[in-house]
Amino acid sequence: MVWKTLMDRSKDKTIRARIITAFILAVSVMIALFFYSVFAVSSIVSSVADSYRSNEFLDRYTSTLLSLETSLKTYMDIRSFESIDSYYSLRSQLELLTAEMHQKPSSDSLLLLEYKITRMAHTFLSYADRALAYRRANNFINADDQYVLAEQSYRYLSNAVNELNAQYFKQNRETYAAKKLIFDHLQRSCILLLITAIIITFLQIVNRVDTITKPLAEISEVANKLAEYDFDIPPLPVEKRDEVGNICRAFNRMIVSIREYIATIISKAEEEQRLHDRENYMITLYKDAQLKALQSQINPHFLFNTLNTGMQLAMMEGADKTSRFIEQTADFFRYNLQHQNEEATLEEEIALVDNYIYVMNVRFANKFTFTKKIESIHLSVRMPGMSLQPLVENCIKHGIADMKKGGIIALHVYDNTDICIDISDNGKGFPNDVRERILSSDDMTTGSTARDEQQTHKISSGTGIGLVNVVSRLRMFYNDKADVFDIRENDSGGTVFAIRIPYV
């Protein structure tokens, strides 16, 4: 009964409302899985961190005990004021740390060892205090006797602390192993839940699409029969009260009207059929354009996911160099997808250049040498994404393209009045006319021929992002700062692309 009520309500919803509902449901499931994973991982990490605090505490205890013993020995040897001040300060710290240990006998071996350490600590401090007192009173014989006992107590105490630390470390290591098993199980469960959610969402979307397309197919079949002057057709079934249901009811009324006025409507029906065919053609063109737009978005993601799969296969087969190459290529595409129209830091842009250089070195078999010199501390400054890589690509594809070997690509980042970024090559140089058009304020939109634009595009294009694009985005990002980008000749031959970024 409840399911029937829900189905009736679903039929009452518009197509838009049903699609939005499906989207919200899918997003809600993904968000719930995300927060569940984050919470579970955070709990496990916090638990592992807590388990190792005992070792951190014993390390502080050992350090304090060693410093205290050193201060005592120094005072017994040279009787300096600094050593006695240090002794009393460290003695207070050791007492506070000792007070945090278990103070009573216990059946638990670790707690019992903690209790023994507290007793040893009190014994050591009592001998040390007496040795110190005798030394201050110039009673050298008793001072030496008490100091010997204090040193013996220190050795026993130090060994006991080390033993307790080792036992806690062993226990914590076992705890970590157990938590790791839980984490691995949780990871597998999250992946399984994610796959299940994706499958359910996919089936739900398929069901939604089917509920929309199936009535449309029936309408199309009826329309084809009407186009062939077949009016002896049953009315379309009308179950839904959405846009498709309205169309079905309209078709039924149209069929009834045609049957009643067939003699006077044939000519009009032919005209309507032509219009209907034209409308179907326009809808097909529109859907085709939509499909191509979606494919242009899906292809890069498909390529990135395919590269990741190839990387994992290469890693499983032991092909480390191939795995490294595919991984660098996949990282390049991922950065391209994420930052092409967004901001990025200078440090991220430099990392992308390293990634791209690695891929190009593998591709061109070390045809060129890449040097990088970073002398700036302002690597967190923001800039448009995909600004440096197209310049490096231009140097490789156009600057040193004709060189069989000896090509040099250099990246130099340093601080001056601005943050300076120079990308240079030792290739054939840059045409002056193209340089002027790229750097001109009209951005080649006026006063240039089609041949000039084609030449500039050929020289400045790279991974879908040309020099004109880079210059335009840099100037817009930094409020039309005229000297943010420049192209000049390299002292050793070739071209230098210079970017000047303000500190703020």
Side-chain angles (χ1 to χ4, degrees), residues 312-379:
Q312 295 171 6
L313 289 174
M315 187 180 300
M316 294 173 60
E317 294 173 357
D320 295 336
K321 291 184 178 179
T322 304
S323 173
R324 173 66 173 164
F325 174 74
I326 298 177
E327 181 183 15
Q328 294 292 316
T329 307
D331 288 344
F332 174 78
F333 276 100
R334 174 170 53 193
Y335 187 96
N336 194 330
L337 289 171
Q338 294 176 349
H339 293 83
Q340 184 163 342
N341 296 315
E342 298 179 359
E343 298 179 20
T345 64
L346 175 56
E347 185 176 11
E348 290 173 342
E349 285 291 284
I350 294 174
L352 178 64
V353 169
D354 291 336
N355 191 309
Y356 177 74
I357 288 296
Y358 177 86
V359 174
M360 290 297 101
N361 270 327
V362 174
R363 178 181 174 185
F364 293 110
N366 296 318
K367 173 182 176 180
F368 62 90
T369 301
F370 175 72
T371 63
K372 181 176 66 174
K373 190 175 184 181
I374 309 300
E375 298 177 325
S376 175
I377 61 174
H378 302 91
L379 299 183

Side-chain angles (χ1 to χ4, degrees), residues 344-347 349-350 376 378-384 387-388 413-422 474-475 477-478 481 483-485 498-504:
T345 64
L346 175 56
E347 185 176 11
E349 285 291 284
I350 294 174
S376 175
H378 302 91
L379 299 183
S380 61
V381 66
R382 309 295 296 181
M383 65 186 304
S387 293
L388 300 187
V413 181
Y414 58 95
D415 293 332
N416 202 336
T417 54
D418 293 326
I419 302 172
C420 302
I421 307 169
D422 291 346
L474 285 171
R475 287 178 176 172
F477 191 83
Y478 296 109
K481 189 173 181 290
D483 60 346
V484 72
F485 186 87
I499 300 177
R500 299 294 177 263
I501 299 177
Y503 288 103
V504 180

Side-chain angles (χ1 to χ4, degrees), residues 130-197:
R130 285 198 291 270
L132 196 66
Y134 283 130
R135 183 68 178 85
R136 297 180 69 177
N138 293 324
N139 189 342
F140 298 106
I141 296 177
N142 289 334
D144 291 342
D145 293 339
Q146 295 299 316
Y147 178 70
V148 170
L149 294 174
E151 285 294 306
Q152 292 177 350
S153 300
Y154 165 76
R155 286 191 291 272
Y156 293 143
L157 176 59
S158 179
N159 292 334
V161 172
N162 291 334
E163 180 183 354
L164 179 62
N165 196 3
Q167 292 186 19
Y168 268 125
F169 183 78
K170 180 180 178 181
Q171 183 187 63
N172 294 334
R173 186 174 57 185
E174 294 173 353
T175 302
Y176 171 78
K179 296 294 182 181
K180 188 176 184 301
L181 291 176
I182 296 175
F183 178 79
D184 293 339
H185 176 71
L186 175 64
Q187 187 180 33
R188 290 191 295 269
S189 300
C190 288
I191 293 174
L192 181 62
L193 288 174
L194 180 61
I195 294 175
T196 303

Side-chain angles (χ1 to χ4, degrees), residues 185-460:
H185 176 71
L186 175 64
Q187 187 180 33
R188 290 191 295 269
S189 300
C190 288
I191 293 174
L192 181 62
L193 288 174
L194 180 61
I195 294 175
T196 303
I198 291 174
I199 293 175
I200 293 175
T201 302
F202 175 75
L203 293 177
Q204 184 185 29
I205 292 174
V206 170
N207 180 59
R208 297 289 186 185
V209 172
D210 186 64
T211 58
I212 296 172
T213 58
K214 185 176 180 180
L216 292 177
E218 294 176 354
I219 294 173
S220 177
E221 183 179 357
V222 171
N224 290 331
K225 289 182 178 180
L226 290 176
E228 297 172 358
Y229 303 103
D230 182 5
F231 303 108
D232 296 329
I233 53 177
L236 289 170
V238 181
E239 298 179 358
K240 299 182 177 61
R241 289 176 286 276
D242 56 8
E243 295 89 345
V244 177
N246 294 334
I247 295 175
C248 291
R249 282 186 287 272
F251 259 88
N252 288 337
R253 289 193 297 269
M254 185 180 68
I255 293 171
V256 172
S257 298
I258 290 176
R259 286 173 178 173
E260 292 177 353
Y261 304 104
I262 188 169
T264 59
I265 268 183
I266 290 180
S267 60
K268 294 182 179 179
E270 292 176 350
E271 181 65 23
E272 289 180 359
Q273 185 62 40
R274 286 194 297 270
L275 294 175
H276 185 70
D277 291 340
R278 186 172 182 180
E279 181 183 0
N280 284 339
Y281 177 69
M282 296 300 295
I283 291 175
T284 302
L285 291 179
Y286 177 71
K287 289 185 177 180
D288 183 65
Q290 283 186 320
L291 178 61
K292 289 181 178 179
L294 288 175
Q295 287 175 339
S296 67
Q297 298 174 9
I298 293 172
N299 288 338
H301 291 281
F302 174 78
L303 179 57
F304 168 69
N305 293 333
T306 303
L307 288 173
N308 266 341
T309 303
M311 178 197 70
Q312 295 171 6
L313 289 174
M315 187 180 300
M316 294 173 60
E317 294 173 357
D320 295 336
K321 291 184 178 179
T322 304
S323 173
R324 173 66 173 164
F325 174 74
I326 298 177
E327 181 183 15
Q328 294 292 316
T329 307
D331 288 344
F332 174 78
F333 276 100
R334 174 170 53 193
Y335 187 96
N336 194 330
L337 289 171
Q338 294 176 349
H339 293 83
Q340 184 163 342
N341 296 315
E342 298 179 359
E343 298 179 20
T345 64
L346 175 56
E347 185 176 11
E348 290 173 342
E349 285 291 284
I350 294 174
L352 178 64
V353 169
D354 291 336
N355 191 309
Y356 177 74
I357 288 296
Y358 177 86
V359 174
M360 290 297 101
N361 270 327
V362 174
R363 178 181 174 185
F364 293 110
N366 296 318
K367 173 182 176 180
F368 62 90
T369 301
F370 175 72
T371 63
K372 181 176 66 174
K373 190 175 184 181
I374 309 300
E375 298 177 325
S376 175
I377 61 174
H378 302 91
L379 299 183
S380 61
V381 66
R382 309 295 296 181
M383 65 186 304
M386 297 296 293
S387 293
L388 300 187
Q389 182 272 332
L391 304 181
V392 176
E393 183 173 357
N394 192 285
C395 291
I396 295 175
K397 289 190 175 182
H398 303 294
I400 62 172
D402 298 330
M403 301 175 64
K404 295 184 179 180
K405 61 179 181 178
I408 298 175
I409 308 295
L411 170 63
H412 187 198
V413 181
Y414 58 95
D415 293 332
N416 202 336
T417 54
D418 293 326
I419 302 172
C420 302
I421 307 169
D422 291 346
I423 298 176
S424 62
D425 62 67
N426 63 338
K428 63 181 180 181
F430 207 90
N432 289 329
D433 57 338
V434 178
R435 174 185 180 277
E436 294 299 327
R437 284 197 296 272
I438 290 176
L439 298 180
S440 63
S441 58
D442 61 7
D443 201 21
M444 295 191 308
T445 57
T446 60
S448 60
T449 65
R451 181 178 179 182
D452 293 336
E453 292 180 1
Q454 291 175 358
Q455 182 184 4
T456 303
H457 177 75
K458 180 180 178 181
I459 294 178
S460 61

